Amino acid sequence: MPPPGGGRAGQGPLRSRGSRRPPGPPPPPRAASPSPASLAARPPAGPAGSRSVLALVTLLSFASRFHRLPEPPHVCWDETHFGKMGSYYINRTFFFDVHPPLGKMLIGLAGYLSGYDGTFPFQKPGDRYEQHNYMGMRGFCAFLGSCLVPFAYLTVLELSKSLPAALLTACILIFDTGCITLSQYILLDPILMFFLMGAVLSMVKCNACADRPFSASWWFWLSLTGVNLAGAMGVKFVGLFVVLFVGLNTICDLWDLLGNLSLSLVMFGKHLLARVLCLILLPLALYTTMFAVHFTVLNKSGPGDGFFSSAFQSQLIGNNLHNVSVPEHLAYGSVITMKNLRMAGGYLHSHWHLYPEGVGARQQQVTAYLHKDLNNLWIIKKHDSDTDLSDPSSPVEFVSHGDIIRLEHKETSRNLHSHQHEAPLTRKHFQVTGYGINGTGDSNDFWRIEVVGRKPGKLIKVLRSQVRLTHVATGCLLGSSGKTLPKWGWEQVEVTCTPYLKDTPNSLWNFEDHINPKLPNISLDVLKPSFAEILLESHMVMIRGNSGLKPKDNEVTSKPWHWPINYQGLRFSGVNETDYRVYLLGNPVVWWLNLFTIGLYLLTAVSTAVALKRGVQLSSELKELSRVVLHGGGQIALGWLLHYLPFFMMGRVLYFHHYFPAMLFSSMLTGITWDTLLKFFAGFLSPSTAARRVYGGGILALVLLIMYSFYLFHPLSYGMIGPMASDPSSPMAGLRWMDSWEF
């Protein structure tokens, strides 16, 4: 018979006795000193309280970003680029940019859905929008910028399990003037940071589901991480940094699973396949789809044609190669254009300008130009004859492999020429110039034309034949170095004659345009490239474009060490006291607090790690704080390093706004670090009320300091009119704490 308690023998009576209490009220609880981990404000720490705070910080974030959003009603800073590119999508006009297409596509979609017709030219900063509807595009960017605050709040809340830490992080981002400014205009930055923070939040949420792998929530957050990685990469190539961040987290996660002996290798394989599927294959599929949409939408010829190959251009409606027929074989007297076969190679080009004094011979410049232009046209002639081959009665003579030819520039009537002077930039190469008068020059104008893989006597096909031009007198090969000339060369690409006789894309050319009324034509449809070829070509063009970026006139560039100290901002609008001025600069208290906290965190993390390594006995509460510092704070510190240090190795031009993704991580690290330290110090105080006052007062003091600094500096984001801060009568004069600030 079972015992009276109804359970197994020996258990029921014990449970009954253990649950009995003597009659009367329960004894009062013993007074206890507060533990560091219990110092978070308890009433809002529950789910309902955290949701209420989340709603509050989200409301403040949206209010700060949408406040005075229509002002100024003119083009500001890089709106001239990305607003114009949004217009290109609406008009389906092909263009070239150094970034992947997702951000511009979303801007164009936002403009289209909000009623913008794509007709505003976006020529230069200061152009007034007038009747054009620009608010949809600005509003879209402001919406995504507003989402950064709740994303950071939820991330810190998950990592620290502390509502005050999450609230402090949210306040830092809400009241940072730089984050507000960057979110209020038609730019890629708020779109990039939206996907970046979405990936970080999704990763942290997925890690929190580690105890229930393959559940619906685990699959959701893992898949959403992959979607956000594709989004970050699809906006800018610096999205690779967050891909690396998530990748390192995934490697550590898989390494821990591999060391878990209770987990079978079959189950480990499932974990590995799940991450390959969601974090590699899914992002790659989405990223490729973006480009498929990009090339499908942009089907009309535009300003970006010249950056791409002739075969690609032939697919663009309105391009002079689209649905046209040209003579198949090259003939003497034909008017042609020559395109270099290196990725983003330009057209052989010349113009009336001469090389400056001290740069080789002072003769006519020959360059490679990336755009269609009448100065790209050349006439192909025999080297030893000046017969007028345009005469309809003259016989057609085709150009053959091995022929010696002369190329006469159609616009200036000067011959393509080389000699043993140094090239402008590539010193071991020879200079290429335009020489002679009305086609009359000398023997340095003679070139041997050769087709790759052809035998002597074979004809040369337009577009399909890859040719090299060998200078007869010196034996060098005509090529494009890929280097951008200074302003005297109109920032076009250097053309040289290289003595290194290698068949590289730099020294290979194809004939694109071919005009000869005496020859029959063929269709160019046979040259249609595959999607994979277009995708590869577009990435090579973007990479080269990124590495070749140079600052514009009067543009404020900066160095990575400038950024964390808030050394110098950027003028978004206005340059004098009569203009409506907006200046991109971080809230000084926020940025210097973040910078100080990075050093403070390193000291705290090292001290904690040493204490644990030495076997110091810690209470359960201090162990939890140590976990937050080393694990939660460590993840965020790694994110900051990955989004900041690579810029020191970049050769391209850099700007202040490149630091803002790293700034998001430093702000989250500030929230976690100060919350942990205040808990630790307050834990040494024995009266409960005193400990709570120290902890709560510390958090409140930081929040109030940040808010007061925002009150002082908010005109930077929302606009200033009147004297510059360098004028003692300016209301901002006392706030110019660094001479490098130019507001």
Side-chain angles (χ1 to χ4, degrees), residues 31 49 60 132 159 174 182 239 255 284 390 394 408 549 589 736 739-740:
L60 289 174
H132 295 276
L159 290 174
I174 289 171
L182 213 58
W255 184 252
L284 283 177
S390 62
S394 63
E408 180 183 314
L549 284 177
V589 168
R736 193 166 178 258
D739 292 338
S740 53

Side-chain angles (χ1 to χ4, degrees), residues 349-370:
H349 177 97
S350 187
H351 40 234
W352 288 103
H353 302 281
L354 306 181
Y355 286 102
E357 194 71 40
V359 180
R362 189 167 169 76
Q363 297 175 7
Q364 185 168 294
Q365 296 177 17
V366 172
T367 65
Y369 189 48
L370 296 174

Side-chain angles (χ1 to χ4, degrees), residues 203-415:
M203 183 196 78
V204 169
K205 287 288 189 181
C206 183
N207 291 343
C209 299
D211 58 340
R212 48 186 192 281
F214 306 108
S215 62
S217 58
W218 185 87
W219 277 111
F220 172 77
W221 290 113
L222 187 64
S223 301
L224 192 59
T225 304
V227 171
N228 282 299
L229 291 180
M233 270 293 297
V235 176
K236 282 188 176 184
F237 282 129
V238 291
L240 275 171
F241 300 154
V242 76
V243 172
L244 180 59
F245 177 61
V246 173
L248 291 175
N249 173 82
T250 304
I251 291 171
C252 293
D253 187 27
L254 289 173
W255 184 252
D256 289 341
L257 290 173
L258 187 61
N260 184 357
L261 298 182
S262 65
L263 195 71
S264 68
L265 287 178
V266 173
M267 185 58 67
F268 175 79
K270 291 181 179 179
H271 276 277
L272 178 61
L273 286 175
R275 286 158 176 81
V276 169
L277 174 65
C278 295
L279 299 181
I280 298 178
L281 297 181
L282 177 61
L284 283 177
L286 293 174
Y287 184 76
T288 304
T289 302
M290 295 171 200
F291 278 89
V293 174
H294 170 73
F295 292 122
T296 300
V297 173
L298 302 183
N299 62 355
K300 297 179 182 178
S301 178
D305 294 18
F307 290 88
F308 289 79
S309 67
S310 306
F312 174 80
Q313 294 180 45
S314 67
Q315 305 305 306
L316 298 174
I317 299 171
N319 188 280
N320 63 336
L321 298 177
H322 180 70
N323 282 346
V324 300
S325 298
V326 297
E328 181 177 13
H329 295 105
L330 201 65
Y332 290 105
S334 296
V335 177
I336 53 92
T337 59
M338 289 177 57
K339 186 172 175 62
N340 191 252
L341 293 189
R342 70 188 306 275
M343 290 297 176
Y347 298 95
L348 186 65
H349 177 97
S350 187
H351 40 234
W352 288 103
H353 302 281
L354 306 181
Y355 286 102
E357 194 71 40
V359 180
R362 189 167 169 76
Q363 297 175 7
Q364 185 168 294
Q365 296 177 17
V366 172
T367 65
Y369 189 48
L370 296 174
H371 303 280
K372 298 284 188 180
D373 192 275
L374 291 176
N375 281 322
N376 301 340
L377 296 175
W378 300 79
I379 304 171
I380 188 164
K381 293 187 173 184
K382 292 183 175 182
H383 74 288
D384 56 356
S385 173
D386 288 321
T387 304
D388 184 9
L389 297 175
S390 62
D391 184 356
S393 63
S394 63
V396 173
E397 293 187 55
F398 291 104
V399 181
S400 301
H401 171 86
D403 285 2
I404 297 177
I405 64 169
R406 185 161 46 89
L407 286 175
E408 180 183 314
H409 189 240
K410 190 172 187 302
E411 186 71 18
T412 63
S413 298
R414 286 180 174 156
N415 296 328

Side-chain angles (χ1 to χ4, degrees), residues 8-34:
R8 288 184 296 168
Q11 288 186 354
L14 287 174
R15 288 182 177 176
S16 299
R17 284 196 297 270
S19 62
R20 292 193 186 104
R21 293 189 181 275
R30 290 181 299 169
S33 60

